[in-house]
Amino acid sequence: MDSISRSRNKGVFISELVNDYIVFDLETTGLSPDFDEIIEFSGFHINDGKVVDQYSTLIKPLNRLDPFITELTGITNEMLENQPSLSDVIGVICDYLGDSILLGHNIHFDLNFLYDAAEYFLHKEITNDFVDLLRVSRKMHPEWKSHTLSIIANNLSTNVQPTHRAGNDALATYQSFEIYKQAALENGIDYEALFSPKSITANDIVSRQLCNGNALLCDEEFVFTGKLDKMERVEAWQLVVDSGGKIADGVTKKTNYLVLGNLDYTTQIKNGKSNKLKKAEELILKGQDLKILTEDVFYDLLHIK
């Protein structure tokens, strides 16, 4: 927890219709494991499509919550006052996860928090292999314009809808994944082949520019704020465009992702939020499916080390 840009020895993405796994979700005080804290963990062990056990806990942070987090999640400082600290429960969480395959939506965000906590408090690495519902959904429904958890759950008519609480979000993730598994089996979809690397030709480049649904970030709009750590902003713009996405200068109702540069994240915490970040939080609270990412999670999204 003493470095903004780090290399994590995480597991690998599993492109299989797994039947035994743990789905989990976190709520946190912000976006960066270096500066923010976990305030809720919820995990469910799934075997053959059914919940067989679960472990959930609220976690008391060292610092008080930002009002945006309270309004978004409904978690208050008073709710956390008598809860265990992260140092008290990280060992329990790691024991619960064991060596299971993990499932999450945009799972790198949550994994990065758990990985750094386990490394800091327990001096151990979380190297579990994982399935990312975000990546699965993009392959199963490339025609969708967005793949936030709320849109996935709504489109698939899951019994549980996400609420920015760890338990509900984990259950919505599990139900969505099980629906995708069933669809793959019933429709004869070669699930593993969806994730197989394909050779690129000149025609593929044209298709990516036209965004025919196969591109990783098909038509999703990105806005960047702050100074990036690993590359110049124009290079990040090019990565988005090459992956089928779009770039905009300001946050609007069309924005899908706001990316915060790692080098400015701590400044925004201490000296006030940028106008772009304030606008994004305002739109999220009004119900817009907009995600705020740190620079590291942006690279994870594009599978860039």
Side-chain angles (χ1 to χ4, degrees), residues 239-251:
L239 286 175
V240 171
V241 173
D242 288 346
S243 298
K246 299 181 292 187
I247 297 296
D249 289 325
V251 175

Side-chain angles (χ1 to χ4, degrees), residues 108-174:
H108 286 287
F109 175 88
D110 301 284
L111 267 181
N112 289 351
F113 271 89
L114 286 184
Y115 187 103
D116 290 2
E119 186 179 52
Y120 183 79
F121 290 110
L122 306 176
H123 308 294
K124 67 177 292 184
E125 296 176 326
I126 294 178
T127 58
N128 304 56
D129 293 339
F130 57 86
V131 178
D132 190 347
L133 181 68
L134 176 62
R135 189 172 176 184
V136 172
S137 184
R138 283 176 170 154
K139 291 295 185 179
M140 293 292 287
H141 284 288
E143 75 279 7
W144 291 356
K145 298 298 183 183
S146 178
H147 295 268
T148 61
L149 182 56
S150 59
I151 285 180
I152 294 171
N154 182 66
N155 287 350
L156 298 181
S157 300
T158 58
N159 293 329
V160 177
Q161 293 292 306
T163 59
H164 295 293
R165 287 298 300 269
N168 268 26
D169 290 5
L171 287 173
T173 300
Y174 138 67

Side-chain angles (χ1 to χ4, degrees), residues 8-44:
R8 299 177 176 92
N9 185 34
K10 292 182 288 188
V12 298
F13 176 84
I14 298 293
S15 57
E16 302 172 8
L17 294 174
V18 295
N19 289 316
D20 191 274
Y21 58 89
I22 289 178
V23 60
F24 79 97
D25 189 77
L26 306 178
E27 297 303 325
T28 67
T29 62
L31 304 172
S32 172
D34 293 286
F35 305 108
D36 299 305
E37 303 175 74
I38 301 170
I39 56 175
E40 187 175 31
F41 170 90
S42 189
F44 299 84

Side-chain angles (χ1 to χ4, degrees), residues 22 29 47 51-52 63 83 87 96-97 121 162 189 204 206 208 247 259 273:
I22 289 178
T29 62
N47 184 266
V51 176
V52 294
N63 301 295
Q83 299 300 324
S87 61
Y96 181 74
L97 298 180
F121 290 110
I189 297 173
D204 292 324
V206 173
R208 285 161 70 93
I247 297 296
V259 180
K273 301 174 181 178

